[in-house]
Amino acid sequence: MSWMSGVTCRVREWQAQRARWKADMERFKTEQRAARKSGGRMPENPGPPPTGFALLPWLLMGMGAFSNIFQGKTPNPWIGGVGLLAFNSLYIYVTFRAFVKEKRESRSTRVALAVMGLLTCGLAIGYGGSWLYFFPLLGLATGAVLRGPWLGQIGLGVTALAAVVSFFRAGWDAVNVAYGTFLSTMVTAAILSLSEAVRELRAAREELARRAVEKERLRFSRDLHDLLGHTLSVIVVKSEAARRLAHRDLDAALVQVTDIESVGRQALTEIREAVTGYREGSLATELDRARSALSAAGVEPLVRQSGTPLVPQTEALLGWVVREAVTNVVRHSGATRCDITVDGTPERVSLTVTDNGPGASIPDPASIPGPASAPAPAFTAAGSAPPSAPAPALGTGGTGLKGLTERLATAGGSLSAGPTAGGGFRVRAELPVDSGDLAEATDLRRTPGFPGTRAGRVARLT
């Protein structure tokens, strides 16, 4: 009864695969509905499970031989029936093992495929007619099992064998059988190889994403421990000292409390610096935040992005342009629509932010005096600028239009801003895709007063 237990295990395995596929499809449909509502990126279809059930319908090509047996058109029907049963059994055995690499490359699978070829030749030579269509099924099984460098030669060999046997039994109709055999062999191998490569790439991508998350979590926990371990130890020690001195020497206790306050402020500054570094996002992140901010402000966003992938420094600069331009749209324009377009070529990339608002025009950055030192307007947790926040003076904004113009110029790019002919306002930035000055231009924490600098953060804390 060992074969019964093997069949039972195989059926349970198929049921588990189908259950996983149904769960994946349910998750895909849920993510698809959510993406349609939010206008985000559509998820990938997981596709059907990789099992031999996908190749079973092709056994219908043998219905002609089966019909001939029942109609009495086949001499020695018992031999034909046993041959048909053996062929179908070998086909099912081979095709179901073809989806597992270890089983596909095992000797038993290759022997079963060779026996299937001999049986196909015997049935085709003995009966001809509809039995010749077993050769395309043999080609399909061959393509499913043999996907390596020898596929072309073996496929041509199976095609030549089908042509010779079919010519012996059916004359020039052998051309159709040979063509069907060659096509089924090559197409099956190509489709299954491509689908297997897609599954492997998807699994590798998921594994890389999982490892990246784990690595970032470990890095954050390690840095946070290094950042706070010593500081908290000092606070604990000085708190104990202040408690012991409180009833004997109040002045000494106040000195300890003052030190605790100083250490706490310093720790808070360092934590904010670390969090700012961790939260630096890509251009895609800034575009998502811009879309959220505009939607929250009642402005219809339209984001279009095309071109080649950008280096992180270029994305960082364009992300700051998006943040500043969208903040101006939310605070000053009174617009109902905002278009954000990113167009890239192998040499340069351009970013254009256009609104249709009737608000007052923002001066051109080249005509704005004053240093570029203040921080960029920050978005709230909902993704939009606080409606009650005062409008910033562009001439003093470290990441305002003037500051961005200087930074883009350092990186070999340019920034232009001004009203459009049909009303509204347009901000356009151009950058080289790769430049040696991008690293210096994107180091925003070098700017005096920028939130990432120690002086800027201490000023905010005090």
Side-chain angles (χ1 to χ4, degrees):
M1 298 297 290
S2 60
W3 65 273
M4 283 293 297
S5 61
V7 171
T8 303
C9 293
R10 181 59 58 86
V11 170
R12 290 177 179 174
E13 181 181 351
W14 293 339
Q15 291 176 346
Q17 291 179 350
R18 179 172 177 81
R20 287 195 297 269
W21 175 69
K22 291 179 67 176
D24 291 341
M25 287 300 298
E26 289 295 331
R27 183 167 60 252
F28 164 74
K29 292 179 180 178
T30 302
E31 294 176 354
Q32 190 179 44
R33 288 192 294 267
R36 287 175 178 173
K37 291 181 180 179
S38 62
R41 181 179 179 182
M42 298 297 292
E44 295 183 1
N45 192 324
T51 63
F53 286 106
L55 302 180
L56 285 185
W58 294 102
L59 281 177
L60 294 176
M61 295 179 63
M63 288 300 296
F66 185 77
S67 176
N68 289 339
I69 293 176
F70 272 86
Q71 292 178 4
K73 298 180 181 179
T74 301
N76 300 319
W78 287 105
I79 297 177
V82 172
L84 181 61
L85 178 61
F87 179 87
N88 290 340
S89 301
L90 288 172
Y91 177 87
I92 294 174
Y93 176 80
V94 169
T95 53
F96 272 90
R97 293 175 68 88
F99 288 87
V100 181
K101 186 176 181 180
E102 293 76 11
K103 295 180 179 180
R104 181 172 69 240
E105 297 176 352
S106 65
R107 179 178 299 179
S108 60
T109 304
R110 305 297 174 88
V111 171
L113 184 63
V115 173
M116 183 179 172
L118 295 176
L119 183 60
T120 302
C121 292
L123 294 175
I125 293 175
Y127 295 111
S130 300
W131 298 81
L132 295 176
Y133 291 106
F134 285 176
F135 277 110
L137 291 176
L138 174 63
L140 192 148
T142 302
V145 173
L146 305 176
R147 308 180 198 173
W150 295 96
L151 174 64
Q153 300 179 14
I154 296 177
L156 291 176
V158 173
T159 301
L161 179 63
V164 172
V165 175
S166 301
F167 184 78
F168 174 75
R169 292 292 306 185
W172 289 107
D173 287 342
V175 175
N176 296 327
V177 177
Y179 177 73
T181 302
F182 179 79
L183 196 64
S184 62
T185 302
M186 297 303 172
V187 171
T188 301
I191 292 177
L192 294 183
S193 298
L194 181 60
S195 61
E196 184 176 2
V198 170
R199 288 193 299 271
E200 291 177 354
L201 289 174
R202 183 178 296 172
R205 184 180 62 184
E206 293 176 354
E207 178 65 18
L208 289 175
R210 184 185 65 82
R211 291 187 179 182
V213 171
E214 291 180 356
K215 183 178 179 181
E216 182 65 16
R217 184 184 295 116
L218 290 175
R219 183 171 73 94
F220 186 84
S221 62
R222 182 180 63 249
D223 293 353
L224 194 61
H225 175 270
D226 296 340
L227 187 66
L228 294 180
H230 175 71
T231 302
L232 293 180
S233 299
V234 172
I235 291 176
V236 170
V237 172
K238 287 186 172 293
S239 298
E240 293 176 350
R243 177 175 54 81
R244 290 194 302 267
L245 295 172
H247 64 282
R248 295 183 310 186
D249 190 346
L250 184 59
D251 293 336
L254 290 177
V255 171
Q256 297 296 330
V257 172
T258 303
D259 291 342
I260 292 174
E261 180 182 3
S262 176
V263 172
R265 287 182 179 274
Q266 180 65 27
L268 185 58
T269 300
E270 293 176 350
I271 291 174
R272 289 186 176 179
E273 288 178 354
V275 171
T276 299
Y278 286 124
R279 295 178 63 182
E280 287 177 356
S282 62
L283 178 59
T285 303
E286 293 298 336
L287 290 175
D288 291 339
R289 292 175 180 174
R291 186 185 291 109
S292 176
L294 292 170
S295 300
V299 182
E300 179 186 2
L302 180 60
V303 180
R304 293 184 293 267
Q305 186 174 6
S306 62
T308 58
L310 305 175
V311 297
Q313 293 85 353
T314 303
E315 286 200 356
L317 278 175
L318 293 181
W320 282 100
V321 175
V322 170
R323 178 176 295 190
E324 175 63 19
V326 170
T327 301
N328 289 336
V329 171
V330 172
R331 291 186 173 183
H332 310 299
S333 68
T336 59
R337 177 187 176 91
C338 180
D339 296 344
I340 304 175
T341 305
V342 181
D343 292 324
T345 64
E347 292 78 22
R348 296 185 70 82
V349 59
S350 64
L351 167 69
T352 305
V353 181
T354 308
D355 65 78
N356 64 345
S361 300
I362 302 174
D364 185 84
S367 62
I368 301 174
S373 59
F379 293 121
T380 63
S384 62
S388 60
L394 293 174
T396 61
T399 52
L401 296 183
K402 184 177 184 298
L404 289 175
T405 302
E406 296 172 353
R407 296 190 182 280
L408 267 64
T410 303
S414 62
L415 180 73
S416 60
T420 60
F425 198 81
R426 176 185 293 117
V427 176
R428 179 178 177 84
E430 289 190 5
L431 272 175
V433 173
D434 192 5
S435 174
D437 297 328
L438 283 175
E440 181 179 355
T442 54
D443 193 1
L444 300 177
R445 283 170 288 187
R446 296 182 179 181
T447 304
F450 179 75
T453 63
R454 185 175 303 276
R457 292 200 176 276
V458 171
R460 291 179 59 187
L461 289 173
T462 57

